[in-house]
Amino acid sequence: MKIATYNVNGVNGRLPVLLRWLETSAPDVVVLQELKAPDAKFPAEAIAGAGYQAVWHGQKSWNGVAILSRVGEIHETRRGLPNDPDASQSRYIEAAVNGVLVGGLYLPNGNPRPGPKFDYKLAWFEALIAHAGELLASGLPVLLAGDFNVMPTDLDVYKPERWTDDALFAPEVRAAYARLVDQGWTDALRERHPGETIYTFWDYFRNAYGRDAGLRIDHLLLSPALAGRLKDAQVDKDVRGWEKTSDHAPVWIELGD
């Protein structure tokens, strides 16, 4: 089973790119972030035409998450984190799909730091850590996937010295990510590419994609019940080079039986 995460940066504005990628990459399950569309404006018909069922948690102009499947029904189990510090923001959706419990998330950016947006990021991270611990305790095959807005280590950012004041690279944020993973999750992309420079995001400015001046901020975390099934993990980097594309590239894993 191939499961992907993709921050589309506007699901309607990037719909041609999304549909092209779905056709060429053919993931079985997809987690989307940054829909930037209310529920009524989600392009369900076009996505169904591509062969995918969908559940989504939208928000006008901002945020928004969705789960797509072409391998069976999606059984939604949750939208919004327990104890979310701002439930008005659509940042989490969870569903059982083809024997896997998938949590799709869009963690707050947190800039500027310090300030209320950074405080919200840390509070949201704490809510995620608490819920993730409960998911692990269930023993179920669970995947947490999405845009975490954190570069875990220096290896995950081009010229880390330039990011020391940014909320995505703040010591508190990296420590929170480490605490999350240390619960028992496997960072799939790093597991398959230890010590390798590999990015998932390139800014639109300063020819960042052409220079490969990127960040690794999109992650797929596997519970112990799934980690042993991991066969591959890759970034569809070429998608970032398509016309009118997102500033993120899709990231995917392949699970064996």
Side-chain angles (χ1 to χ4, degrees), residues 45-248:
E45 185 174 342
I47 287 173
Y52 289 83
Q53 300 181 32
V55 294
W56 59 92
H57 182 26
Q59 182 178 342
K60 184 179 179 180
S61 301
W62 306 99
N63 308 320
V65 286
I67 298 175
L68 318 182
S69 169
R70 66 179 189 125
V71 287
E73 292 187 10
I74 306 172
H75 302 278
E76 184 178 326
T77 55
R78 169 172 292 282
R79 56 178 54 203
L81 277 178
N83 302 313
D84 190 319
D86 183 359
S88 69
Q89 299 194 31
S90 301
R91 293 186 175 275
Y92 187 83
I93 191 166
E94 188 179 288
V97 188
N98 199 28
V100 177
L101 186 62
V102 178
L105 63 99
Y106 178 45
L107 207 136
N109 178 285
N111 283 303
R113 164 183 176 256
K117 291 185 177 181
F118 186 66
D119 295 340
Y120 171 56
K121 180 186 185 100
L122 294 179
W124 203 94
F125 223 141
E126 290 302 321
L128 174 64
I129 290 169
H131 184 55
E134 294 179 357
L135 293 176
L136 271 184
S138 73
L140 295 170
V142 184
L143 169 69
L144 294 178
D147 180 355
F148 284 69
N149 267 320
V150 54
M151 297 89 80
T153 71
D154 286 5
L155 186 62
D156 301 307
V157 51
Y158 177 79
K159 294 192 175 180
E161 67 275 8
R162 296 185 178 180
W163 291 82
T164 54
D165 295 326
D166 195 278
L168 279 67
F169 202 49
E172 305 97 311
V173 174
R174 286 186 288 160
Y177 184 84
R179 284 170 46 218
L180 173 64
V181 172
D182 286 348
Q183 288 179 330
W185 300 93
T186 295
D187 182 332
L189 200 59
R190 186 52 69 208
E191 176 72 14
R192 296 296 296 179
H193 302 273
E196 183 177 339
T197 299
I198 186 166
Y199 301 135
T200 66
F201 168 94
W202 297 261
D203 205 318
Y204 290 124
F205 305 107
R206 299 178 296 279
N207 191 33
Y209 178 69
R211 295 185 297 116
D212 199 25
L215 313 172
R216 189 177 78 95
I217 57 176
D218 304 273
H219 310 301
L220 298 104
L221 304 184
L222 309 178
S223 72
L226 278 184
R229 294 171 54 187
L230 180 64
K231 300 300 182 184
D232 199 5
Q234 301 291 341
V235 179
D236 283 344
K237 182 180 177 181
D238 63 306
V239 177
R240 175 60 181 84
W242 293 357
E243 187 176 357
K244 297 181 179 179
T245 193
S246 171
D247 42 9
H248 295 250

